Amino acid sequence: MQHTFASKEGPLEVTLSKNAEAFVLEGHELRQHNRGRLHLTLRDGRTCLAHTAKVGDVWWVHLNGRTYKWERVEPGSTGAEDEGGLVAPMPGKVLEVLVSEGDTVEAGAPLMVLEAMKMEHRIVASSDGTVTNIHFNAGDQVAQGATLLDLE
Amino acid sequence: MQHTFASKEGPLEVTLSKNAEAFVLEGHELRQHNRGRLHLTLRDGRTCLAHTAKVGDVWWVHLNGRTYKWERVEPGSTGAEDEGGLVAPMPGKVLEVLVSEGDTVEAGAPLMVLEAMKMEHRIVASSDGTVTNIHFNAGDQVAQGATLLDLE
Amino acid sequence: MANRGEIACRILRACREAGHPSVAICASNDAGSMFTEMADQVVLLNGETIAETYLDQQQIIQAAKDTGATAIHPGFGFLSERAEFANAVQSAGLTWIGPSALAIEKMGDKMTARQTMRAAGVPVIPGEEVEEVDETKALDALREASTRVGYPLLLKASSGGGGKGMRAVHAPADFDQAAAGARREAVAAFGDGRIYIERLLSGSKHIEIQVLADQHGRTIHLGERECSVQRRHQKVFEEAPGPTMNPELREAMGQAAVAAAEAVNYVGAGTVEFLLAPTGEFFFLEMNTRIQVEHPVTELVTGVDIVREQLRIAVGEPMSCGDLMLRGHAIEVRLYAEDAANGFLPSIGPLAVFRPPEGPGIRLDTGVREGDDVTPNYDPMLAKLIVWAPSRHEALQKMRRALDEFVVLGTTTNIEFLRDLCDATPVVNGSTTTTTIDELWPNGWNPPSAPLLEEAALLAAASAETLGLHRRQTNGVAASTNDGPVSPFTTVQRRFP
Amino acid sequence: MANRGEIACRILRACREAGHPSVAICASNDAGSMFTEMADQVVLLNGETIAETYLDQQQIIQAAKDTGATAIHPGFGFLSERAEFANAVQSAGLTWIGPSALAIEKMGDKMTARQTMRAAGVPVIPGEEVEEVDETKALDALREASTRVGYPLLLKASSGGGGKGMRAVHAPADFDQAAAGARREAVAAFGDGRIYIERLLSGSKHIEIQVLADQHGRTIHLGERECSVQRRHQKVFEEAPGPTMNPELREAMGQAAVAAAEAVNYVGAGTVEFLLAPTGEFFFLEMNTRIQVEHPVTELVTGVDIVREQLRIAVGEPMSCGDLMLRGHAIEVRLYAEDAANGFLPSIGPLAVFRPPEGPGIRLDTGVREGDDVTPNYDPMLAKLIVWAPSRHEALQKMRRALDEFVVLGTTTNIEFLRDLCDATPVVNGSTTTTTIDELWPNGWNPPSAPLLEEAALLAAASAETLGLHRRQTNGVAASTNDGPVSPFTTVQRRFP
């Protein structure tokens, strides 16, 4: 049983083995109990409960106070491409555009101020670059995921 | 939308009507909200939440502190037949048989003592009659639903 | 943790908070149970029956040794009041979280306890014990003793507890059958058929005093609980403080309880039970040498975490609580899987929906959650619902709301019975006695009629069927499609002795 | 109930317990929300925006009249501190559950409040207000005032609250941008761009005193809460009593708070906020003329049900609480839908799994439950988790367990940040100040590494995929198959001013 998950460090290849009723990975064991409850026995002998949920392609996992998530990559699909632009983290309104097309900016420079969830959010350059396109003006409503501006 | 439910008083025929998004019965209205939450507006204007679950053919309903259940009768099926015998309410052990075959008993007469869930349960005649068959002896394990004895 | 269910959950949580790694034991039919998820390690016990698992002393001690555990908490029930187990645990070099074997023995044997108490100056109820083992001789001796004690009387298993092996007898004609039944239950439950007879004090209140004693010579009481509302000697509704209690009586009973504990050099948490007669006299009933089901009401009014104190005391620390400081009012009800409208017959089934009430002042000590099955393998007590509020009046209001909002579908419970109880005059007045339930519902309980709600419920059932809610999640949870027995109790009427 | 979310749930439950029938109002995007299920009646509001719904005074008063409601509880936020709404409610012949419009006005305007407090002998922080409306003139006046007040300083909206329209400025170079931002936020949030400048007292504790006043002339305080742990002036971690408080200081601050309340003839529940400087001096910050988010910690240590007292006071009954009786320690943390590891950016998504911790001493005040969606329509605060234990040490232990067991999947929350906070030295020591979070994580917070758990979590994800748990219920709940955005924040780095 092999699965590929996407992570910040690149694709993670996971190969499960089975030991009687248990799934095994790196010495950790997992057993399913009634109605999908997953009981883990860690390599160090401790037991804990895992909660899981899949939302879209992403598996969310909680155990011992920690929450992790990984996108599952369908076998055969190519990895997700990095987008070049800066996208709106949530629906909101553009309050201010702090740069103009053609500006050269340093990583960390403020580019745009967005209002969402009754708070102001400052969109900051993630790297040095040049602003090539600005897709919205002050006062515009933006949908979640909309590309706000392009940085090259 | 017509449904038939079994009740102690006989079959209940329920005919729902619809008023826009709401189901209506006898002036009560029901609307479904996110993920199956059922909000009721009673005839007297009060609102309340209903929880439902179907176990086997039986619908369980909770609202305002009360729990009800009705068996849904599939269209075309005949009503459940009354069983003639006295059945074990749960798995257990027969401790004592208090009657013999052929005995005439009155309603309320003790017939058998069962041990289950660490307590003694007395099986009592539900009506006057004659014991025609006794299917278990003291010490026997009985499965849930097993007919213990027949009363005619 | 040598126990299961809600008390195991309660104690394992306390261990986690205190930073003590914990080990649960479980029988195979408990694998995946809620309490196993709260331990740092789980040991699966061999064996099928309770005797082969949760009562198997050697297997449990071995599990402790194998996992490197250093102490055993017995909870309540099972091995909690077995002196020989306390001894075996200590002989194995483990810490026993409870009183000494000697204290358990002296209090566990009801007759010895009565004698010890009499010597310590604590008043006891007049009564007699019969030690005979032979069935016929024992019954003869009991019948003879009954004439000296007088009717109405109470038969109790010497090793008993929890109402098992106990029978009230109101007239000589009922004596023989009751005595035989009590002995049989006592043998089955405790392996000990000794029975003693006590005068039945009608109209009395059941008042019990929580005590704590550490290994530094300090023994204190944490005030009283009233647990008068009982059905067949099973407590149903428990509260603190007692609604008719006054500070003088509390102090007198508290001092008697402390004297009782000190008389057996008690260490740890324990409860001294009294009957409080309408005259204001009180009599020692018994001492429970363990944590009790109803300990939460005391925790809520005193602010003492009794289980944490048990853990401290066991390792030799002084208890951390200061002077008694009572505040507000707490009520506990016991949630049973039982059909209150059908003679309180235990019920089983899936917990297709299990949604406890929420909000300020509500505590739930549960051993089950949604999706679990209620089986006949163990006690039908599923959970305890406890509320706290500044006054008794407000606590009852809170309990009513809590019970109204407690949703359990798929298994019949006593929730509606408990809710109805909250409206009963003696409960509202605080004038409950040990016979209140029998007096309120001499012919059994039935839910009050509510035709409007019943109509609306039918609308909900029909709508749910139309919407096909059983084919997908309802209220965020998938309705169970378990095809098991639903209401196995519809074809037969049943009454209890 | 002129509010929504968790505070509406809290108050509607109190109404039900008190036997008061209740009416909820809700915007169409709140239909089916948790709080609507706790009312006896629900009125759907017309309109799309917050201004058209929860802030539409006439529509809300009309809903009260239409349903025969006799009183309005405003909760916190929304219309709770609008004097003209209090007036309008009373003019409509309804009872306003809160202080008089005059008291709200005097305290709501920060500058008037400072003057009133000075007159009542309550110490205030040195500072100045700027009343200018014109943008350019206002900014000039503010810049001028800043030189008199001195750096570091704090810009605050005169009508503000909840950290909106507030900015800390450490050097003159940052002043202009900060002032413009504060004014803009103040206009947007409160329709009032007035700003005042206050000296920023570094290293101070935020200590607030809960007061209650009835219509019979009794005004009392319920001790303090410490809410020093703040992020961008949003409280995150609140506790009672204050870990460094002593009885003398409590009495002095309590008396100052009572004097503040009496100075405006205060009626109902309110909170007087102070800054407690390292010198032991305290300064009036502001009075919140409403119930507060963090009221539960006071309820748990005093045993007073503040919301029930609000209901009593509003109908003219005397408050029911006796002398102040503090017991144990309570801590509250605020659960936000936000990505703490990514600059605390608000997050949205489905609450595919939402399992709060359980057990003794844990209280959850929530406005959401499993299956709900977190949307950008309202405040990202989902719930408050509150614990009580006999000591501060044990309360922190309990909070750690509670946070470890709190499972939220499908939406990113600040649970792990809160959990990490419980281990931070100033929190453990009780030496927190209003700058603690910035000092602990000057470059933002990241979860501590736990490779063993991460491996095990990967095993769980891979096993769940293999078992097909997403195609059926998991843990009793159907995994959401919502295909919406999962982590919209991965492609862009973000920092905050």
Side-chain angles (χ1 to χ4, degrees):
Chain A
M1 288 149 292
Q2 187 155 0
H3 300 284
T4 307
F5 295 95
S7 81
K8 276 176 229 157
E9 290 78 34
L12 281 168
E13 300 280 347
V14 181
T15 306
L16 295 185
S17 56
K18 266 204 116 173
N19 176 4
E21 289 298 287
F23 290 103
V24 182
L25 181 72
E26 308 275 349
H28 308 296
E29 296 192 350
L30 178 142
R31 279 172 192 80
Q32 183 185 198
H33 282 285
N34 46 330
R35 311 241 294 168
R37 292 186 86 85
L38 304 180
H39 288 217
L40 282 155
T41 304
L42 303 185
R43 196 160 60 219
D44 63 10
R46 285 179 300 158
T47 51
C48 66
L49 178 68
H51 287 82
T52 60
K54 196 174 189 183
V55 181
D57 288 330
V58 174
W59 275 106
W60 295 64
V61 180
H62 177 279
L63 74 172
N64 267 16
R66 305 301 294 264
T67 302
Y68 298 95
K69 55 186 190 195
W70 294 280
E71 186 184 354
R72 178 165 183 266
V73 181
E74 287 291 326
S77 78
T78 60
E81 286 170 39
D82 255 358
E83 306 211 1
L86 289 157
V87 300
M90 55 187 60
K93 196 171 96 176
V94 177
L95 284 187
E96 244 182 300
V97 181
L98 304 169
V99 290
S100 306
E101 292 184 2
D103 283 5
T104 307
V105 295
E106 291 181 11
L111 306 175
M112 217 179 242
V113 183
L114 214 65
E115 190 200 53
M117 285 181 119
K118 274 155 287 312
M119 289 173 76
E120 288 191 10
H121 306 293
R122 184 161 293 216
I123 309 295
V124 190
S126 49
S127 59
D128 297 351
T130 306
V131 178
T132 52
N133 280 295
I134 297 177
H135 301 288
F136 294 94
N137 299 313
D140 287 355
Q141 293 288 341
V142 294
Q144 180 166 2
T147 300
L148 298 172
L149 32 72
D150 299 330
L151 194 64
E152 280 185 2
Chain B
M1 289 148 292
Q2 188 157 358
H3 299 287
T4 306
F5 296 96
S7 81
K8 276 177 226 155
E9 291 77 30
L12 281 168
E13 300 280 346
V14 180
T15 307
L16 295 184
S17 54
K18 264 203 120 173
N19 176 5
E21 289 297 288
F23 289 104
V24 182
L25 181 71
E26 308 273 350
H28 308 296
E29 296 192 351
L30 179 143
R31 280 173 192 79
Q32 184 184 196
H33 282 285
N34 46 331
R35 310 240 294 168
R37 292 187 87 84
L38 304 180
H39 289 217
L40 282 155
T41 305
L42 303 186
R43 197 159 58 219
D44 62 10
R46 284 179 299 159
T47 50
C48 66
L49 178 68
H51 286 82
T52 59
K54 196 174 188 182
V55 182
D57 288 329
V58 173
W59 274 105
W60 294 64
V61 180
H62 177 279
L63 77 173
N64 266 18
R66 306 301 293 265
T67 302
Y68 298 95
K69 55 185 190 196
W70 294 280
E71 187 185 353
R72 177 162 182 269
V73 182
E74 288 290 326
S77 78
T78 60
E81 286 170 40
D82 256 358
E83 305 212 1
L86 289 156
V87 301
M90 56 188 58
K93 196 171 96 176
V94 176
L95 285 186
E96 244 182 300
V97 180
L98 304 169
V99 288
S100 306
E101 294 185 1
D103 282 5
T104 307
V105 295
E106 291 179 13
L111 305 176
M112 216 178 244
V113 183
L114 214 66
E115 191 200 53
M117 288 183 116
K118 276 155 285 311
M119 289 174 75
E120 289 193 8
H121 305 291
R122 183 162 292 216
I123 310 294
V124 190
S126 50
S127 59
D128 297 354
T130 306
V131 177
T132 52
N133 281 294
I134 296 176
H135 301 287
F136 295 95
N137 298 315
D140 287 356
Q141 294 286 340
V142 293
Q144 180 165 4
T147 299
L148 299 171
L149 34 71
D150 300 329
L151 194 63
E152 283 186 2
Chain C
M1 180 68 238
N3 213 304
R4 61 176 301 284
E6 66 88 15
I7 191 63
C9 292
R10 166 75 183 93
I11 293 164
L12 290 167
R13 284 182 166 130
C15 290
R16 183 150 291 179
E17 288 169 13
H20 300 309
S22 57
V23 182
I25 54 168
C26 79
S28 56
N29 57 19
D30 258 337
S33 281
M34 184 168 173
F35 73 94
T36 66
E37 296 172 354
M38 303 200 174
D40 295 296
Q41 257 183 285
V42 182
V43 175
L44 192 68
L45 297 172
N46 295 314
E48 293 297 317
T49 66
I50 291 178
E52 289 164 5
T53 54
Y54 296 107
L55 293 178
D56 182 347
Q57 306 188 12
Q58 284 322 306
Q59 191 178 184
I60 292 170
I61 289 171
Q62 194 57 49
K65 286 182 175 168
D66 292 347
T67 54
T70 56
I72 289 187
H73 196 307
F76 50 66
F78 293 130
L79 295 169
S80 61
E81 292 181 291
R82 296 273 180 96
E84 84 266 25
F85 184 58
N87 260 333
V89 166
Q90 289 173 315
S91 304
L94 303 166
T95 299
W96 167 248
I97 304 176
S100 71
L102 191 63
I104 297 175
E105 214 165 88
K106 280 188 174 169
M107 287 299 187
D109 188 84
K110 303 271 184 276
M111 213 61 203
T112 313
R114 287 163 57 88
Q115 287 153 7
T116 313
M117 288 307 100
R118 236 188 250 118
V122 179
V124 299
I125 304 174
E128 284 191 38
E129 180 172 60
V130 170
E131 301 260 3
E132 281 293 349
V133 173
D134 176 79
E135 179 76 12
T136 318
K137 282 188 190 163
L139 289 178
D140 288 346
L142 282 166
R143 200 177 305 112
E144 211 176 296
S146 73
T147 61
R148 288 189 295 271
V149 173
Y151 286 85
L153 56 77
L154 209 51
L155 298 166
K156 285 179 158 182
S158 283
S159 308
K164 279 157 200 157
M166 193 184 284
R167 292 284 191 284
V169 191
H170 293 270
D174 304 327
F175 187 84
D176 284 9
Q177 198 184 8
R183 272 185 56 88
R184 192 163 49 213
E185 258 183 39
V187 171
F190 316 109
D192 173 0
R194 286 176 306 147
I195 296 288
Y196 77 101
I197 306 184
E198 217 174 63
R199 187 70 193 266
L200 181 64
L201 292 166
S202 299
S204 295
K205 282 178 171 291
H206 177 112
I207 303 280
E208 58 189 35
I209 306 282
Q210 174 73 51
V211 296
L212 273 181
D214 63 22
Q215 300 184 44
H216 298 260
R218 185 170 172 224
T219 303
I220 63 168
H221 73 87
L222 295 178
E224 79 284 0
R225 295 187 282 263
E226 173 163 355
C227 318
S228 298
V229 185
Q230 305 183 354
R231 199 186 60 72
R232 301 184 76 213
H233 303 285
Q234 271 283 14
K235 295 163 188 171
V236 169
F237 180 102
E238 296 136 329
E239 62 186 311
T244 59
M245 185 60 68
N246 61 59
E248 294 70 39
L249 187 55
R250 175 175 301 124
E251 200 43 36
M253 295 182 75
Q255 285 316 319
V258 168
E262 286 178 338
V264 295
N265 292 316
Y266 199 84
V267 167
T271 299
V272 184
E273 298 190 334
F274 295 99
L275 268 190
L276 177 64
T279 57
E281 292 171 291
F282 59 88
F283 302 97
F284 173 83
L285 268 180
E286 62 182 49
M287 180 166 187
N288 291 312
T289 54
R290 48 163 169 85
I291 188 85
Q292 245 177 328
V293 177
E294 58 269 29
H295 75 277
V297 292
T298 297
E299 295 189 324
L300 291 176
V301 295
T302 63
V304 174
D305 184 334
I306 297 174
V307 173
R308 282 295 293 268
E309 297 298 345
Q310 284 189 303
L311 301 180
R312 280 193 189 94
I313 291 168
V315 297
E317 291 175 21
M319 62 179 101
S320 79
C321 40
D323 291 337
L324 183 62
M325 191 177 181
L326 296 175
R327 193 170 71 189
H329 200 94
I331 301 174
E332 170 177 301
V333 294
R334 300 189 186 189
L335 184 71
Y336 283 101
E338 62 183 18
D339 188 353
N342 196 0
F344 295 93
L345 193 72
S347 56
I348 56 174
L351 295 172
V353 175
F354 185 84
R355 301 286 166 90
E358 294 171 345
I362 293 179
R363 167 174 168 179
L364 185 82
D365 282 21
T366 179
V368 296
R369 20 48 171 175
E370 197 161 278
D372 285 353
D373 284 309
V374 179
T375 68
N377 298 324
Y378 299 104
D379 200 77
M381 191 179 87
L382 302 179
K384 305 171 324 198
L385 175 65
I386 313 110
V387 300
W388 180 93
S391 66
R392 185 172 193 273
H393 176 67
E394 289 161 292
L396 260 180
Q397 290 181 320
K398 201 176 279 286
M399 184 57 90
R400 289 192 191 104
R401 171 177 79 76
L403 288 167
D404 278 340
E405 294 180 7
F406 206 141
V407 185
V408 182
L409 302 182
T411 300
T412 302
T413 72
N414 63 340
I415 290 177
E416 288 180 57
F417 168 74
L418 296 169
R419 174 62 185 83
D420 205 23
L421 193 61
C422 291
D423 288 336
T425 306
V427 171
V428 172
N429 294 344
S431 59
T432 45
T433 71
T434 53
T435 50
T436 290
I437 289 187
D438 292 338
E439 286 157 15
L440 284 170
W441 297 289
N443 301 313
W445 175 85
N446 272 298
S449 161
L452 197 77
L453 289 182
E454 190 163 356
E455 266 176 22
L458 202 53
L459 165 61
S463 304
E465 179 73 39
T466 301
L467 292 164
L469 294 189
H470 49 302
R471 284 189 293 272
R472 58 186 195 81
Q473 69 242 19
T474 59
N475 311 325
V477 67
S480 168
T481 50
N482 184 313
D483 283 314
V486 175
S487 169
F489 314 129
T490 48
T491 57
V492 51
Q493 269 198 336
R494 223 163 257 105
R495 288 192 207 94
F496 284 97
Chain D
M1 181 68 238
N3 214 306
R4 63 176 300 285
E6 67 88 14
I7 191 62
C9 293
R10 165 74 183 93
I11 293 165
L12 290 167
R13 281 180 168 132
C15 289
R16 182 150 292 177
E17 288 170 12
H20 300 309
S22 59
V23 182
I25 54 170
C26 79
S28 57
N29 58 18
D30 258 338
S33 280
M34 185 169 173
F35 72 94
T36 66
E37 295 172 355
M38 304 199 173
D40 295 296
Q41 259 182 284
V42 182
V43 175
L44 191 68
L45 297 172
N46 295 314
E48 293 297 317
T49 65
I50 291 177
E52 290 163 3
T53 54
Y54 296 108
L55 292 177
D56 181 347
Q57 306 188 11
Q58 284 322 306
Q59 192 179 182
I60 292 170
I61 290 172
Q62 194 58 50
K65 286 182 175 169
D66 292 347
T67 54
T70 56
I72 290 187
H73 196 306
F76 49 66
F78 293 130
L79 296 169
S80 61
E81 293 181 292
R82 296 271 180 97
E84 83 267 27
F85 184 57
N87 261 332
V89 166
Q90 288 174 315
S91 303
L94 302 166
T95 299
W96 168 250
I97 304 176
S100 71
L102 191 64
I104 297 175
E105 215 164 88
K106 281 188 174 169
M107 288 298 188
D109 188 84
K110 302 271 183 274
M111 213 61 203
T112 313
R114 288 165 55 89
Q115 287 153 6
T116 313
M117 289 306 97
R118 237 189 248 118
V122 178
V124 300
I125 304 174
E128 285 191 38
E129 179 171 61
V130 170
E131 300 261 3
E132 280 295 346
V133 174
D134 176 78
E135 180 75 13
T136 319
K137 283 187 189 164
L139 289 178
D140 289 345
L142 282 166
R143 200 178 305 112
E144 211 177 296
S146 73
T147 61
R148 289 189 294 271
V149 173
Y151 286 85
L153 56 77
L154 209 51
L155 297 166
K156 283 180 159 182
S158 283
S159 309
K164 278 157 200 156
M166 195 184 280
R167 293 283 191 286
V169 191
H170 293 270
D174 304 327
F175 186 84
D176 285 7
Q177 199 184 10
R183 272 184 56 87
R184 193 163 47 215
E185 256 182 42
V187 171
F190 316 109
D192 174 0
R194 288 176 305 147
I195 296 287
Y196 76 101
I197 305 184
E198 219 175 60
R199 188 68 194 267
L200 181 63
L201 293 167
S202 298
S204 296
K205 283 180 170 287
H206 177 112
I207 303 280
E208 58 189 34
I209 305 282
Q210 174 73 50
V211 296
L212 272 182
D214 62 22
Q215 300 183 43
H216 297 260
R218 186 171 172 223
T219 302
I220 62 168
H221 73 86
L222 296 177
E224 79 285 0
R225 296 187 281 263
E226 172 164 356
C227 318
S228 299
V229 185
Q230 305 183 354
R231 199 185 59 73
R232 302 184 75 213
H233 304 283
Q234 271 283 14
K235 296 164 186 171
V236 169
F237 179 102
E238 297 136 328
E239 61 185 313
T244 59
M245 187 57 72
N246 61 60
E248 294 69 39
L249 187 55
R250 175 175 300 126
E251 200 44 34
M253 295 183 75
Q255 285 316 318
V258 167
E262 286 178 342
V264 296
N265 292 315
Y266 200 83
V267 168
T271 299
V272 184
E273 297 190 335
F274 296 98
L275 269 191
L276 177 65
T279 57
E281 291 171 292
F282 58 89
F283 302 97
F284 173 83
L285 270 180
E286 62 181 49
M287 180 166 187
N288 291 312
T289 54
R290 50 161 169 86
I291 187 86
Q292 248 179 324
V293 177
E294 58 271 29
H295 75 278
V297 292
T298 298
E299 294 189 326
L300 292 175
V301 295
T302 62
V304 174
D305 184 335
I306 297 173
V307 174
R308 282 296 292 270
E309 297 297 346
Q310 284 190 304
L311 301 181
R312 278 192 191 96
I313 290 168
V315 297
E317 290 175 23
M319 63 179 101
S320 79
C321 39
D323 292 336
L324 183 61
M325 190 177 182
L326 295 175
R327 194 170 71 188
H329 200 92
I331 300 174
E332 170 177 304
V333 295
R334 299 189 187 190
L335 184 72
Y336 284 100
E338 63 183 18
D339 189 353
N342 195 0
F344 295 94
L345 192 71
S347 57
I348 56 174
L351 295 172
V353 175
F354 185 84
R355 300 287 165 89
E358 294 169 347
I362 292 178
R363 167 174 166 178
L364 184 82
D365 282 21
T366 178
V368 297
R369 14 60 169 168
E370 195 161 280
D372 285 353
D373 284 309
V374 180
T375 69
N377 298 324
Y378 299 104
D379 200 77
M381 190 179 88
L382 302 179
K384 305 173 322 200
L385 175 65
I386 313 112
V387 300
W388 180 94
S391 66
R392 186 172 192 274
H393 176 68
E394 289 161 293
L396 260 181
Q397 290 181 322
K398 200 175 279 287
M399 183 57 91
R400 290 192 190 102
R401 171 178 77 76
L403 288 167
D404 278 341
E405 294 181 7
F406 206 142
V407 185
V408 181
L409 301 182
T411 299
T412 302
T413 72
N414 63 339
I415 290 175
E416 287 180 58
F417 168 74
L418 296 169
R419 175 63 185 81
D420 205 24
L421 193 61
C422 291
D423 288 337
T425 306
V427 171
V428 172
N429 293 345
S431 60
T432 46
T433 72
T434 53
T435 51
T436 291
I437 289 188
D438 292 338
E439 287 157 15
L440 283 169
W441 296 289
N443 301 312
W445 176 86
N446 273 298
S449 160
L452 197 77
L453 288 182
E454 190 163 354
E455 265 177 22
L458 202 53
L459 165 60
S463 303
E465 179 73 38
T466 301
L467 291 165
L469 293 189
H470 49 304
R471 284 189 294 272
R472 57 186 195 83
Q473 69 243 17
T474 58
N475 311 325
V477 68
S480 168
T481 51
N482 184 315
D483 282 313
V486 174
S487 169
F489 316 129
T490 48
T491 57
V492 52
Q493 269 198 337
R494 220 162 260 106
R495 287 192 207 94
F496 284 97

